[in-house]
Amino acid sequence: MRLAILDRDGVINEAQDDGIRSPTEWKPIRGSLEAIARLHRAGWRVVVAMDRPGTGARQLDLDLMARVNETMKHHVAKSGGVIDAVFFCPHGPEDGCSCRKPAPGLLLDIARRLHTELDEVPVIGDSLSDIQAARAAGARPVLVKTGHGFGTAGLADLDPAVPVYEDLYQAVDDLLGSDKQ
Ligand SMILES: [Mg+2]
Ligand SMILES: [Zn+2]
């Protein structure tokens, strides 16, 4: 079993500053649904790891977040893919928890729950916090330039060893290329 861990906003769907506030606002990034379907057909498991969108009083209601995730899973399934699970940090940035990125807690939790090591697992994100969480968890960080990724790619803090792709489709193309035996 191979595993890919994806951030949601800015990787699978278009990001919105305050988070997606209605299932009808969920819009896939071009090629992302097909990329997930390709992973599925190649025998990979796909898991989403995301922070609860918004901050403070604007923090997104968890029921609403769950409904948006159901919408995402529905679109993915219609395209022939599967999202095995969505893991999320339910806290806010002010809570000082160990699961909100850049902390590695969410990724470590995924590793425990799926009984897998993370050292070969790509963690694909668009923000520096995704990259930092992947590093801290001992996984393989991968940056895409969609969402906040174009800006992230230009940050001085970004480790130049992190592979950068135009989008999820291109990242998956490379993953599956190197997966051929
Ligand atoms: Mg993101
Ligand atoms: Zn948390």
Side-chain angles (χ1 to χ4, degrees):
M1 185 268 288
R2 297 210 65 185
L3 170 68
I5 301 176
L6 313 184
D7 178 42
R8 193 192 75 180
D9 295 349
V11 175
I12 303 174
N13 55 267
E14 303 288 353
Q16 298 209 22
D17 283 347
D18 255 347
I20 312 288
R21 299 201 160 258
S22 147
T24 57
E25 286 179 16
W26 193 89
K27 296 281 180 292
I29 289 171
R30 195 156 61 103
S32 70
L33 297 176
E34 198 180 342
I36 295 170
R38 287 185 65 194
L39 285 170
H40 177 62
R41 286 196 299 270
W44 287 55
R45 290 178 81 174
V46 176
V47 167
V48 169
M50 61 181 289
D51 289 335
R52 183 176 180 180
T55 57
R58 290 289 291 160
Q59 187 136 57
L60 196 60
D61 177 77
L62 288 178
D63 285 343
L64 180 53
M65 191 182 78
R67 282 198 285 129
V68 171
N69 285 338
E70 285 310 310
T71 301
M72 169 177 68
K73 287 183 184 173
H74 174 72
H75 284 283
V76 167
K78 267 199 331 196
S79 301
V82 173
I83 289 177
D84 283 275
V86 178
F87 288 77
F88 63 91
C89 159
H91 310 108
E94 62 287 337
D95 292 332
C97 69
S98 60
C99 47
R100 192 176 177 92
K101 302 171 198 175
L106 201 55
L107 300 176
L108 297 175
D109 192 31
I110 291 171
R112 261 194 310 273
R113 303 267 287 269
L114 300 185
H115 308 288
T116 184
E117 302 291 321
L118 289 176
D119 50 340
E120 293 293 315
V121 173
V123 174
I124 305 176
D126 67 317
S127 296
L128 191 60
S129 59
D130 296 311
I131 303 303
Q132 291 168 332
R135 272 265 188 274
R140 276 172 54 201
V142 175
L143 182 67
V144 289
K145 286 202 213 166
T146 48
H148 297 295
F150 187 79
T152 304
L155 293 176
D157 284 349
L158 180 71
D159 180 345
V162 172
V164 182
Y165 297 97
E166 288 302 315
D167 53 23
L168 182 62
Y169 190 88
Q170 200 191 87
V172 165
D173 207 41
D174 199 34
L175 277 180
L176 295 182
S178 63
D179 200 34
K180 285 181 190 126
Q181 320 259 317

